Amino acid sequence: MTVPRDWHHPGTGADLTIAVSRHRAAGPARRRGVLMMAAGGPGASGLTRPADFAARSPAVGAAYDVVGFDQRGVGSSTPAQCQTDAEFRDFYAHDFRDRSPAALRGVLARSRQLVAGCLRHGGDLVRRLTTDQAVRDMDLFRALLGVRKITYYGPSYATWLGAYYATEFPQRIERAVLDSNEDFSGTWQHARGGLPKSFQRRFEQDFLPWIARYDTTYHYGRTAADAKARWEARRRALHERPLTVGALTIGPNQLDNTTIQSMYNARQFPQLASALRALDDWPSTTPAERTRVAKLFTSYLSPGFAAVYSSVTCNDTPWHGDLDYWLDRSAKDTAASPLVGARELAYAATCMAWPVSDAPRVRVTGRGLPTTLMLNSVHDPATYYEGARAAHRALRGSRLVTVTGSGDHGQYQNDNACVDGIVNAYLLDGTAPDHDVTCAAGPLPVPSGRRR
């Protein structure tokens, strides 16, 4: 699909290509229409997701043509480029917790280098990577599919994308499910500001008690406090002497990266715990264990993801605060919530150096929309519950399904019969709860070979 580079000034610059996909309804006689889904990030690929989505919810896959796409700048669409692989590795190669003057100068320099690379390689493309531009791509996709209205499903950043689409094209929405919600009622600066606390909460209140519970398996400490102390000791050791596994270097930031990534779903807790144990027992680990560790530690983001993430979050809404403000704030967040707080300055400095954006301000209200279904767990690290509640208040007429006892990111198709039942009834029959509701999460995972 070909789209204007700039929907507000068509004909300015070369058109862009948006890669799209469709999984046709398995039951044509019962076909309800089109369900458009999008990916999170911003920066993740949504192109291949429809087939898996339909397979995991067969009744929904029978009733809808499920369609997806790579957002502008992503994957098989016209891609954005900001960094080489080496520059991307170098961005995360140093210890974000190091607050020495030289280290802080390095953080600021690498963030400015990222912006310079975006403008050098991406030119005016990165300036047009906004949620507002993307929703217009979506509406062209809808029109080309030949339907008047769509049903929408979006997780994570795709909640922001879906909320903007519903605001700018309310007459095109039949139903919408927003799963694990960004706080799209405000700015990206405000939304990102809660992440240090929410990731630290997930780590300290969910993961550390879990690994301590299975101390006889992982030998990482009998209490959460013991496990945290051991994790911090390993981080200090990696700062002093990074570990080399083939071409991979595991330093303190890489430990942070992998821990952050593993907080998204409790099913990832066992593999993180096994990797932590392997790092502590490295001389005696087997080649197979080392291979598993290397695979886990190389799965964190990519230069392409970083290009789109930086572009959208810096373009969409204004960023405020001078360097002194961000140095002070990031120091406080590093001390209180270091897992993500330590890297706050690097991300903020990127948007501080970004050219002033002309993206229009979109205010989400829910006006003119049918009932929208919103899902969120109470300990979600990436789209924290406090932000989801603010988004819920802004999107008037929405219904919030709160998942208690969970911090998983992404609630639909996450083995929760209560959540899936509510969403399926809504998608298939249009039945929405009369009021906000609560679903309890299932138990946390059990290490292989152990009983509950």
Side-chain angles (χ1 to χ4, degrees), residues 62-86:
Y64 288 95
D65 287 351
V66 182
V67 301
F69 57 95
D70 275 353
Q71 191 168 327
R72 54 173 53 208
V74 176
S76 297
S77 295
T78 302
Q81 180 185 357
C82 294
Q83 298 166 301
T84 64
D85 288 344

Side-chain angles (χ1 to χ4, degrees), residues 34-103:
V34 168
L35 186 151
M36 185 178 293
M37 61 183 303
S45 172
L47 188 63
T48 62
R49 298 191 182 200
D52 181 66
F53 182 89
R56 290 161 68 95
S57 298
V60 175
Y64 288 95
D65 287 351
V66 182
V67 301
F69 57 95
D70 275 353
Q71 191 168 327
R72 54 173 53 208
V74 176
S76 297
S77 295
T78 302
Q81 180 185 357
C82 294
Q83 298 166 301
T84 64
D85 288 344
E87 288 169 337
F88 175 77
R89 287 192 300 270
D90 188 56
F91 190 88
Y92 290 99
H94 311 270
D95 190 347
F96 282 133
R97 287 199 201 178
D98 187 345
R99 303 292 298 184
S100 68

Side-chain angles (χ1 to χ4, degrees), residues 403-419:
V403 181
T404 59
S406 172
D408 285 357
H409 181 66
Q411 293 303 312
Y412 184 50
Q413 299 182 338
N414 192 43
D415 296 327
N416 188 313
C418 175
V419 173

Side-chain angles (χ1 to χ4, degrees), residues 82 111 114-116 118-119 123 126-129 306-308 310-316 319 348-357:
C82 294
S111 293
L114 169 61
V115 176
C118 288
L119 298 176
V126 296
R127 304 292 304 278
R128 301 295 162 239
L129 299 184
V308 177
S310 300
S311 299
V312 173
T313 57
C314 295
N315 280 326
D316 267 1
W319 284 71
T350 300
C351 288
M352 288 166 57
W354 199 267
V356 175
S357 172

Side-chain angles (χ1 to χ4, degrees), residues 155-172:
S156 194
Y157 160 71
T159 61
W160 197 304
L161 184 67
Y164 270 33
Y165 181 83
T167 299
E168 301 202 47
F169 300 97
Q171 74 279 15
R172 301 303 184 191

Side-chain angles (χ1 to χ4, degrees), residues 152 173 196 228 260 324 336 396 417 438:
Y152 179 81
I173 290 289
K228 182 180 180 181
I260 289 167
D324 286 341
R396 293 195 295 270
T438 297

Side-chain angles (χ1 to χ4, degrees), residues 237-251:
L238 290 171
H239 175 90
E240 296 299 327
R241 182 176 296 179
L243 188 64
T244 301
V245 188
L248 172 66
T249 298
I250 301 177

